[in-house]
Amino acid sequence: MNKIKIPPKNFWDDDNWAHENYQTLLKQYSNKWVAIFNHRVVCANEDLKDVKNFLKKNFKRKTIPLLHIEDASHVY
């Protein structure tokens, strides 16, 4: 049986920071995937695969929040 790994505190700190600053992020990163590390955007791209590849190459930490910053123009 696989155990669920809970992300560390720094993951949740960065995730909370991103949600608290969503409106600011929206101005610069509209309709992009962003990766947050130490309360900073370290990568942003429209293609999630490119963001993940960047993180694999440049960061040892495996748990980095990824958010899609939507401008609300999408209809689901």
Side-chain angles (χ1 to χ4, degrees):
M1 180 179 238
N2 293 338
K3 290 187 177 185
I4 297 173
K5 293 182 182 180
I6 298 173
K9 183 181 180 318
N10 52 9
F11 171 90
W12 296 111
D13 289 344
D14 286 338
D15 187 66
N16 288 335
W17 179 88
H19 285 91
E20 289 169 1
N21 291 279
Y22 194 88
Q23 291 301 316
T24 302
L25 295 172
L26 181 60
K27 291 175 187 174
Q28 190 169 359
Y29 304 104
S30 180
N31 296 314
K32 293 185 180 177
W33 287 95
V34 297
I36 308 296
F37 183 78
N38 290 336
H39 299 179
R40 289 182 44 235
V41 174
V42 293
C43 184
N45 195 299
E46 291 177 1
D47 188 342
L48 177 59
K49 187 176 180 180
D50 289 342
V51 175
K52 287 182 175 182
N53 286 337
F54 174 85
L55 294 176
K56 281 182 187 178
K57 291 178 186 176
N58 296 287
F59 289 85
K60 292 181 182 179
R61 191 170 102 189
K62 302 286 185 203
T63 53
I64 294 176
L66 300 173
L67 283 85
H68 189 257
I69 308 297
E70 291 189 36
D71 68 0
S73 65
H74 299 43
V75 177
Y76 296 100

